[in-house]
């Protein structure tokens, strides 16, 4: 509904809603990629997945994860320009720049995932393997390999710098400037209005990156492994389900447009 609404209604043809439409489209692929496997794992007989399907799911996991990180960075940059440089915002953040930032996000996700999947395909796996996870994630898949994984682990570390360690600091710096600019606004109404435009995005960033850091920074043994498995559900299922609710219910323009469309039907 958000994707269609942003595409159809001219009132929502602005950079903020353009990126929101991209994020909503990405969330659809999260559910398509992970939910069938997760629900299948809840069955009494468990879930069996072929090696090819496991590799493909692992690829899409990396692709979606990296793309969302870069999209959230683009959205943070958009809010930074809108709040810190309001007079220059429409000139700088034009349609061409929006398309470039979105294109870079999707392309970066594809390239990052491709760089990870290729060396994983070179690993050797025994005929009988059980992955202790809800889906084919990188960590459990590498642990199931019976060959040397040092090269793959170095490769994953390098690409993770581009996937996580570039977007996250940019987002932090952007919101540092944003909060500083909001504090300097003289009127309380102005501060509230400025903060409301970026609070939803900040909430999504906190949930998403918090779950990623929890999942991939903990040791993969014992209790930490179980905590990592649970936290992985946040960015694979909970976050995509919460994003539309957070953005739709907390955004006045989207509520009004959706309400008008529902009344007409």
């Amino acid at each position: 509904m958000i994707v269609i609404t942003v595409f159809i209604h001219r009132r929502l043809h602005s950079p903020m809603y353009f990126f929101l439409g991209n994020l909503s489209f990405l969330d659809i692929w999260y559910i398509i990629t992970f939910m069938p496997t997760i629900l299948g794992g809840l069955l009494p007989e468990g879930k069996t997945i072929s090696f090819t399907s496991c590799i493909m799911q692992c690829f899409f996991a990396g692709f979606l994860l990296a793309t969302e990180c870069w999209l959230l960075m683009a959205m943070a940059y958009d809010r930074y320009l809108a709040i810190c440089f309001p007079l220059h915002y429409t000139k700088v953040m034009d349609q061409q720049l929006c398309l470039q930032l979105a294109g870079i996000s999707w392309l970066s996700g594809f390239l990052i995932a491709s760089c990870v999947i290729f060396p994983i395909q070179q690993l050797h796996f025994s005929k009988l393997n059980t992955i202790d996870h809800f889906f084919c994630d990188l960590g459990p898949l590498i642990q199931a390999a019976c060959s040397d994984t040092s090269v793959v682990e170095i490769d994953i570390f390098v690409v993770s710098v581009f996937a996580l360690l570039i977007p996250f600091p940019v987002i932090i710096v952007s919101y540092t400037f944003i909060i500083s600019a909001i504090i300097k606004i003289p009127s309380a109404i102005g501060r509230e209005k400025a903060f409301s435009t970026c609070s939803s995005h900040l909430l999504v960033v906190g949930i998403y990156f918090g779950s990623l850091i929890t999942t991939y920074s903990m040791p993969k043994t014992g209790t930490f492994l179980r905590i990592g498995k649970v936290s992985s559900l946040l960015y694979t299922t909970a976050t995509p389900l919460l994003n539309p609710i957070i953005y739709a219910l907390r955004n006045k323009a989207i509520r009004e447009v959706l309400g008008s469309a529902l009344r007409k039907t």
Side-chain angles (χ1 to χ4, degrees), residues 183-255:
I183 293 175
K184 295 178 182 179
I185 297 176
S187 65
I189 297 177
R191 288 194 297 270
E192 182 179 354
K193 183 178 179 180
F195 185 74
S196 65
T197 61
C198 59
S199 58
S200 297
H201 179 254
L202 190 58
L203 179 61
V204 170
V205 167
I207 296 174
Y208 188 72
F209 279 96
S211 61
L212 284 181
I213 293 172
T214 302
T215 302
Y216 293 105
S217 64
M218 287 186 172
K220 306 302 180 184
T221 56
T223 304
F224 295 107
L225 177 61
R226 291 191 290 272
I227 294 175
K229 287 169 57 179
V230 173
S231 63
S232 68
L233 290 178
L234 288 177
Y235 72 84
T236 56
T237 56
T239 301
L241 290 172
L242 289 174
N243 281 351
I245 299 174
I246 293 173
Y247 281 113
L249 295 183
R250 292 174 62 87
N251 189 283
K252 183 179 179 181
I254 291 181
R255 289 202 308 268

Side-chain angles (χ1 to χ4, degrees), residues 6 9 15-16 21 23 46 58 63 66 82 84 98-99 101 127 136 147 160 169-171 203 213 218 230 239 243 247:
V6 170
H9 290 272
M16 181 174 70
L23 185 63
C58 191
F63 170 59
C84 297
C98 290
L99 291 174
L101 291 175
K127 293 183 179 180
C136 288
S147 56
S160 66
V170 172
I171 293 173
L203 179 61
I213 293 172
M218 287 186 172
V230 173
T239 301
N243 281 351
Y247 281 113

Side-chain angles (χ1 to χ4, degrees), residues 1-7 16-32 64 67-68 71-72 75 106 204 239-248 254 258:
M1 289 179 65
I2 292 177
V3 173
I4 296 174
T5 302
V6 170
F7 181 77
M16 181 174 70
Y17 298 110
F18 170 76
F19 291 122
L20 176 57
N22 275 267
L23 185 63
S24 298
F25 181 71
L26 186 74
D27 288 337
I28 295 173
W29 286 99
Y30 265 106
I31 302 302
I32 294 174
L64 297 174
T67 302
E68 181 155 355
L71 272 178
L72 292 176
M75 296 173 73
W106 288 95
V204 170
T239 301
L241 290 172
L242 289 174
N243 281 351
I245 299 174
I246 293 173
Y247 281 113
I254 291 181
L258 287 176

